[in-house]
Amino acid sequence: MGWITEDLIRRNAEHNDCVIFSLEELSLHQQEIERLEHIDKWCRDLKILYLQNNLIGKIENVSKLKKLEYLNLALNNIEKIENLEGCEELAKLDLTVNFIGELSSIKTLQHNIHLKELFLMGNPCASFDHYREFVVATLPQLKWLDGKEIEPSERIKALQDYSVIEPQIREQEKDHCLKRAKLKEEAQRKHQEEDKNEDKRSNAGFDGRWYTDINATLSSLESKDHLQAPDIEEHNTKKLDNSEDDLEFWNKPCLFTPESRLETLRHMEKQRKNQEKLSEKKKKVKPPRTLIAEDGKALNVNEPKIDFSLKDNEKQIILDLAVYRYMDTSLIDVDVQPTYVRVMIKGKPFQLVLPAEVKPDSSSAKRSQTTGHLVICMPK
């Protein structure tokens, strides 16, 4: 599962030189994020926040984003609109294809006086009778609902019918809540049963294998063929079992619920981990990078794929390496030799043959306080 971390935000803030405190736009879509957190502490100046296609189940920890104008939470697991009162500048809210059944929770948006656009299509509440009229009457500041402009006449009619519509909406909400409670209970029971079955499978034998002949002697297993056969058979059996389980999972009918989305993701994650384990077994050890040729000459190498510039004047040679600004200096190791310079960046070698011979003992390496670049000065 994905978590919102400082590193994740920095990686998605390249357009702002990876500085997050002054960030105005942030996109964290399709990160398998389950919980909305930390952003209101680290990115107070945000105006646009994209969080679509994740697994977020609750709107929270955004109340300090006073400048936020657009929040996209489409394709998540949200069931209720809440905790947006502090977003004073919020003008557009996208909650397309979530699981919102408590339509009356839109009343919390009455505090967002600048809210002009709201998207709720694809939610259970959007199929309620008089859904649109209820939203239009409840939020007088809205100009657009589900991409359709709200006409003045439509608002007048919705306000006139509000006293009749509201009890009907409440009744539909009640029915929806009862259905959701049953679905949650069923999903929990099913999850517990699957956990029990998984435990039974994992405890099939003390080391995961089935044995049929406990009296087998060592002499019968001495040949190489006999030793390899069980491993091959076991591998093929596991592969067959995994394929059958995968096929059974995808062919199994299920309802579109927050629980089913989480179950699907966990299944895919499990399959991915199994695939990674198989790949690791097949993966060969990568030979170390050749830095010095057989004839003793140093080679030019840039494994970290980092930008650099080299200045050569009468007295010294200056190498400027565009090291990531927030990289810890402990991850960088510099080695200056008379004819070449080598810099290890997070274990990856950067090596450059110098145009003239330099004095290693008199050389210096410093980080720039403004850019974070590594500047190496090498006297000739």
Side-chain angles (χ1 to χ4, degrees), residues 250-264:
W250 293 113
N251 287 335
K252 180 175 59 180
C254 70
L255 295 171
F256 183 62
T257 63
E259 293 77 22
S260 67
R261 285 196 76 208
L262 283 167
E263 186 186 7
T264 301

Side-chain angles (χ1 to χ4, degrees), residues 291-330:
L291 300 176
I292 307 295
E294 291 181 2
D295 58 2
K297 290 183 179 179
L299 303 175
N300 288 324
V301 177
N302 189 358
E303 195 169 304
K305 297 180 180 178
I306 197 164
D307 292 334
F308 69 94
S309 64
L310 190 70
K311 293 180 182 178
D312 184 4
N313 55 43
E314 292 180 3
K315 294 182 178 180
Q316 63 179 354
I317 297 172
I318 301 173
L319 173 64
D320 186 318
L321 279 171
V323 176
Y324 181 44
R325 182 184 293 185
Y326 295 99
M327 182 181 289
D328 196 295
T329 306
S330 63

Side-chain angles (χ1 to χ4, degrees), residues 78-292:
I78 295 162
E79 298 190 60
K80 182 181 179 181
I81 301 172
E82 57 188 335
N83 302 322
L84 289 169
E85 295 88 344
C87 302
E88 298 170 359
E89 297 298 321
L90 190 64
K92 184 177 179 181
L93 176 62
D94 193 341
L95 292 165
T96 304
V97 191
N98 274 276
F99 298 91
I100 299 167
E102 195 175 329
L103 185 56
S104 58
S105 65
I106 65 165
K107 289 184 178 181
T108 61
L109 297 174
Q110 289 174 341
H111 299 278
N112 305 97
I113 58 173
H114 298 291
L115 187 65
K116 302 299 178 208
E117 291 185 70
L118 177 64
F119 291 86
L120 287 171
M121 62 181 78
N123 283 276
C125 65
S127 61
F128 288 180
D129 293 336
H130 306 295
Y131 144 76
R132 187 174 173 87
E133 296 97 309
F134 180 80
V135 177
V136 169
T138 305
L139 302 174
Q141 75 274 38
L142 269 192
K143 300 295 181 187
W144 297 77
L145 176 60
D146 294 334
K148 185 180 177 183
E149 189 175 3
I150 300 169
E151 301 292 341
S153 57
E154 183 184 8
R155 193 180 301 280
I156 292 168
K157 181 73 166 58
L159 288 167
Q160 288 173 345
D161 298 339
Y162 186 76
S163 58
V164 178
I165 291 169
E166 188 182 23
Q168 296 179 22
I169 293 293
R170 294 284 186 185
E171 195 62 35
Q172 292 174 89
E173 278 184 348
K174 188 178 177 182
D175 292 341
H176 173 78
C177 288
L178 289 171
K179 288 177 183 176
R180 276 296 295 136
K182 288 180 181 178
L183 287 172
K184 283 180 181 178
E185 188 179 339
E186 187 180 336
Q188 189 175 3
R189 180 180 52 78
K190 183 180 173 184
H191 188 58
Q192 289 173 348
E193 286 178 0
E194 286 178 353
D195 284 346
K196 286 179 182 177
N197 292 333
E198 189 68 30
D199 289 340
K200 286 179 182 178
R201 280 197 293 269
S202 62
N203 294 326
F206 70 93
D207 65 350
R209 296 186 188 181
W210 291 98
Y211 291 90
T212 54
D213 186 4
I214 60 172
N215 296 314
T217 59
L218 184 62
S219 59
S220 65
L221 298 173
E222 283 179 350
S223 71
K224 186 178 178 181
D225 292 339
H226 278 87
L227 284 169
Q228 288 180 340
D231 290 337
I232 296 168
E233 188 178 345
E234 181 190 359
H235 174 74
N236 291 336
T237 305
K238 282 184 179 179
K239 193 173 181 181
L240 185 63
D241 288 345
N242 287 335
S243 300
E244 287 176 355
D245 288 344
D246 193 47
L247 194 62
E248 183 184 351
F249 178 84
W250 293 113
N251 287 335
K252 180 175 59 180
C254 70
L255 295 171
F256 183 62
T257 63
E259 293 77 22
S260 67
R261 285 196 76 208
L262 283 167
E263 186 186 7
T264 301
L265 181 72
R266 290 190 176 106
H267 177 80
M268 291 170 68
E269 193 173 351
K270 183 182 174 183
Q271 293 294 325
R272 186 165 60 243
K273 285 181 178 178
N274 289 338
Q275 193 62 41
E276 284 174 2
K277 285 179 182 177
L278 289 172
S279 299
E280 283 175 10
K281 288 179 181 178
K282 295 177 182 178
K283 192 164 45 175
K284 294 180 179 179
V285 178
K286 195 175 180 180
R289 170 76 70 170
T290 302
L291 300 176
I292 307 295

